[in-house]
Structures are given as structure tokens and as C-alpha cells.
Amino acid sequence: MDTSVGKFAIRVNDLVVGFGHRVILDHLSLDVRRGEILGLVGASGGGKSVLMRTIIGLIPRRSGGIEVMGARIGSPHDVGTQRAAGKWGILFQQGALFSSLTARQNIQFPLRENLVLSSALLDEIATAKLEMVGLTPEDGDKFPSELSGGMTKRVALARALALDPAIVFLDEPTSGLDPIAAGDFDALIKTLQKTLGLTVFMVTHDLASLNTVCDRVAALADGNIVAIGPMRELLQSDHPWVRAYFHGKRSLMLQPKAS
Amino acid sequence: MATEPQLAVTSRGDALELRPDGFWIAANVTVLEALADAAAPQVERAKSLKMDMSGLSELDTLGAWLLEKLSRQIAGHPAEIVGVSENYAGLIEEVRHVNRHNLPPPKARNPVIAKVEEVGRAAWNSREDVAVFLQMLGSLCVALLGIIRKPRSLRLTSLVYQLYRVGWQAIPIILLITFLIGAIIAQQGFFHFRKFGADSYVVDMVGILVLRELGVLIVAIMVAGRSGSAYTAELGSMKMREEIDALSTMGLDPVVVLILPRVLALVLALPILTFIGSMAALYGGGLVAWFYGGMGPSIFIARLHDAVSVTHFQVGMIKAPFMALVIGIVACSEGLRVKGSAESLGKQTTTSVVKSIFLVIVLDGLFAVFFASIGM
Ligand SMILES: Nc1ncnc2c1ncn2[C@@H]1O[C@H](COP(=O)(O)OP(=O)(O)OP(=O)(O)O)[C@@H](O)[C@H]1O
Ligand SMILES: [Mg+2]
């Protein structure tokens, strides 16, 4: 086995993705280290979700290579992809909860499919996950259509974390949460990273999350990663888009100390 | 992949010490649960509990919870936990707070009473079905009146598009099915009537049956399955994605924008389809008469001329728009009753088809009584 497999959780190499005539990701390369929390920022409609969905094999690519935990990713039905799928949990931007299952059943679904365990333990684990993401046990009996936007996010997060996967992909996990809940969420991710050695690939616009939990931040602009590194370095970056993103009026309001 | 986890239990008098060892992770859950269950009775009996976590090679939420659950079994003072590596401290702290509130257990109910209650409620709720039907009929009438007053508010594009879908695109399948039905009836007629030498009455049977009853009934059932289900599924998924709410908040009436064009298209299309279907059935009957019954086309047409009158044709055609109305109303109101889940969309679509076919047949029966009493 080659050593890079041990060091990197996700390797994206020279990736090209497009729809019709439009190229969204243009020869993009990105490595995510094992056990780190990587934040991905970029303009709305810039292709962050597309990048995430391509990495997990949902969108076909024109060229380039993707490896997750050493497994090459192809279409969703490939053996390699399926093997990798056992090791990841995914939070989609719209939640993507199963609408005909209750919140609790949604969380239990991956457990039930992958493990053999008693139904009492199944219930306890589901309730534990619900509480860990800040919901009450009573919320577990609600159907997705009865949940608020932020609650949907949290249930989806609980489902993504149900199996304590090695990698989680989170698409805007804190959007729609109040700042307190978002802070709890950040703390939870940090705890899990520390305990489980979790690798987190997180698309976010939340500057606080970027500041507090992300080990590194990658900026996606014009279909490519234009800057990557710890938040400190990104603040120093002189790429015009990155400057505009972190030093715009709105961003400065939130981080008066950042130079 | 992971090595077997262990749980060493040592007791000194009333004091119990637990030493979990190895991989306490979800992949090993079956073993872990057995270990925890085996240790539970001893923990319950113990006065004090010490847990030594230093042997753990890996821990995840599930493992941490199982250990936490064990440590809660003890009645007296809380368990003493030692040897926690820095990595796991956060997680162990985290699970300490969960599952503290006991959920009220679901009420056990007598299955017989539950069944009876279910039947009773279903019967009582059928009132609601009638109310929903009448309400939809009422709103359609109001919408129609609005259009008569202001003809420009009719969604013409939508109406034409729906007509294309439920009318034009349905023609091939309707032609095929009714042709086959006509042919089968004629074949059966010749086969059985021949025994009495009553061959020539087959034409009467085919003609009257097709024009009065079967043509319209078969076409209505086909349309209920084909277009009614599509209406329910469309409106249902629009309801699920809050598109209908969005429409109402823009000051537009969903009945005018979505439902009226659909129902109107059905009411216009069904008589035409019935006509086409009846002709195809007669054609099929004629072909069988020719090739199977040995009755040439000219004789068939002459007999048909004698056997059927315009009344039979009228009876069939009068029924068509009413059946279309029933199908349209049922399909649309079932669509609007879809709740948030994909399952309810499927359920409502099934209900829509079953209910509209049932109502079409009931309506046909009522019409039979009505026409008999006015002598048509
Ligand atoms: N299935 C698709 N077919 C065609 N174009 C698509 C498809 N999915 C995404 N796109 C296009 O790709 C571009 C990038 O979309 P993407 O969803 O990745 O944006 P994003 O960076 O996640 O934005 P946001 O922050 O708003 O979520 C957009 O212009 C979008 O219109
Ligand atoms: Mg997105």
C-alpha cells in the first residue's frame, strides 16, 4: 500500500465536471488529510455542492481521479464506491430525509441496515444521537414534513453520524441554525473529530465555524481551489475573490480583530 | 476486521470493577451487546462500581453509550471512571447527558378493540369524503362562473396542453383496448349464440352493449387509471413541495389555475374518446363477424342499422362527461390531500384510482335506473 493512502482521506486530482457546455469545476485538485476538518468556501452557485456530490460519486466527471480512503470512486454502483460508502456519512444541503420515516427511524436506518443489534439498543442509540445534535427525544417521533428547517438539518446530521463514519461530508450544516445551536454543533463536530479521528469535509458560509473548528479552509473560485490553508493564511491571501470574501463589509462586522 | 472486544469483571465484596478492552465500536455491536447484558446483573447487585477505561483501543458513540448504560445500572453512588484517555474524554462526557428522560412507553391496546375502532373511524370518515367531493364540485362551479363572467381568465394554454395529454395521447391505447374488447364480445357471442341458431342477434348484442355501456365504461376506467392517477400524482407532489401554498400566497386560486383546466380537459376529452372507442369496438366486432362468424360487412352494417337506434348512442354519450367530472374531481381532491411524505403520495394515488373507478361504476348503475325509468 502506498503511503499517501494513510495520510490523505480524500484525494481529488485534476477533476473536470460540467453540465452541457458549462464547465463548473475546471482541473481542480484537492487533498484532504486524515483526521482534519476542512472547510470549503466559495460563491453561491460556484460549484461547492457539485464538488461534494462528485466526490461521493453522484455526479459523473469528465476527467480526473478521486480517491476516498484509498478507494477509487466511480459511479454510485461501483464496488469501490460502495466500499467507500460504508465509511462515510453525508449531510445534504436540503436534508434529504426519508419522508415516510420518522426522524428516529431515519437515524436508525443506517444502523439497522449495517449492524445486528437489539431494538432497545437501536432506540437508545437513536435517542442519544438526537440529543447529541440538540433535539429532544419527543422530536424523534415527528415526520420530516413536521420538522422546522433547522431541525431537519440536525436530524440529517444525526443520520450522517449514525454509524460514526470515518469521513463526514456536510453541505452547509449550520445554515438555518441559530448561533447557539450552530456553536453547539461546532463543539460536537470537534469532539467527534477528537474521539473518532473523524475527517470532515464541510461546505459552509459560517465564518464562526471556519474560525473555530476548521483546521484548514479551501476557497473555490472560478472552478478551482484558489487558496487553501489555515484560516490565518487565508486572511492574508491576496487573491481578489478571497480578499472580497473575508474582508468584505459583512465579514468585517463579524471579526473586528482579524486584520 | 477489529479484534474481539472484552469486558473483564472483577468483584471484591460489594465493589465491582469493570475493564473494557479492545475495540468498542459499532462494527462489533453484536458482541458488545452480549457482553454488556452479561455484566448487567452483577452491576445491579454491586454497591460501588469502578470502570477502568485504559484498555480501550477504540471507542465510538455506540460503545461509549453501552458503557455509560452499564454505569447507570448501579443504584447507589455514581460509578467511578478512571483511565480515560484524553481522546475519549469528550465523547464519554457527551454520552453522559443523553437518554436521561424516559420516553413514555407506547400504550398497549387490545388488538380487537383497535381493529373495531379503526373500522368505525373509517366509516365515520367517509362523511368527510363526501364533503371533500362536494366542496371541490362547488369550487369548480364558482371558478366556472368566474370564467363565464370574465372569459379571459381561462387558462387556455393549460387547457389545450391538458387536452393534448389526456385526449390526443390517449387515443392509441384506447383504440387498441376497445378494438380488442369489441372483437372478444363478438367472438363469444357467435360461439354461444350459434347453438341456438341465433347468430344474427350477435350484432344486436355487440351494438347495444358497446354503444350504451361498455364503450363509455371501458374508456372511463382507462382514463381514470391513466390520467386520473397522473393528476393526483402531479398535484400531490406540488402540494408536498409547497408549490400550491406558494400559488395561493400570490393571490392566485389553485382551483382556477391548476384544477379547472384539468377537469375541463377531461370533460371535453372523455366524450370524444368514448366515441372513438365505441367505433373501434364496433369495428373489432365487425371484423370478427366477418372472419369468424362468416357474416360479411354489408350484412353486419345492415343488421346494425336495424338493431341500434340513435337513443343507444345518446345514452352512452350523455354519461361520458359526468364520468369525466367524477374522475377529475376525485383525482384532484385526492391530490390535494397528500401530506408531506412520499408514501402518502403513493397512497393517495392508489385511492384516487380505486375510488374513481368505483364511482364510475356506481354512476353507471344510477344512469341505468334513470334511463330505464324515462324509457330511453
Ligand atoms: N444537475 C445539474 N444540472 C445542471 N446544472 C447544475 C446541476 N447541478 C448544479 N448545477 C449548476 O452548477 C453550478 C454550481 O452549483 P452548486 O450547487 O455546486 O453551487 P454551490 O456552490 O453549492 O452554491 P450554494 O452555496 O448556493 O449552495 C450552478 O450554476 C448550478 O446551476
Ligand atoms: Mg450548495
Side-chain angles (χ1 to χ4, degrees), chain A residues 48-49 93 171-172:
Chain A
K48 301 180 298 298
S49 299
Q93 193 166 8
D171 199 346
E172 309 205 4

Side-chain angles (χ1 to χ4, degrees), chain A residues 99 116 118 124 127 131 164, chain B residues 33 61 65 69 98-99 341-342:
Chain A
S99 59
V116 183
S118 70
E124 286 161 10
T127 309
E131 291 183 28
D164 290 324
Chain B
E33 229 192 327
T61 321
W65 162 246
K69 194 166 102 175
V98 302
N99 272 325
S341 74

Side-chain angles (χ1 to χ4, degrees), chain A residues 106-167:
Chain A
N106 261 287
I107 299 169
Q108 288 170 344
F109 186 81
L111 294 164
R112 207 189 282 277
E113 290 301 308
N114 287 294
L115 307 173
V116 183
L117 70 176
S118 70
S119 65
L121 183 59
L122 204 56
D123 279 342
E124 286 161 10
I125 295 289
T127 309
K129 298 278 174 184
L130 274 172
E131 291 183 28
M132 282 165 87
V133 297
L135 293 170
T136 63
E138 288 78 27
D139 292 331
D141 294 323
K142 292 185 179 150
F143 282 95
S145 58
E146 299 161 354
L147 297 171
S148 78
M151 286 157 85
T152 307
K153 273 270 150 73
R154 296 195 211 191
V155 175
L157 176 70
R159 186 180 69 178
L161 295 174
L163 282 169
D164 290 324
I167 307 183

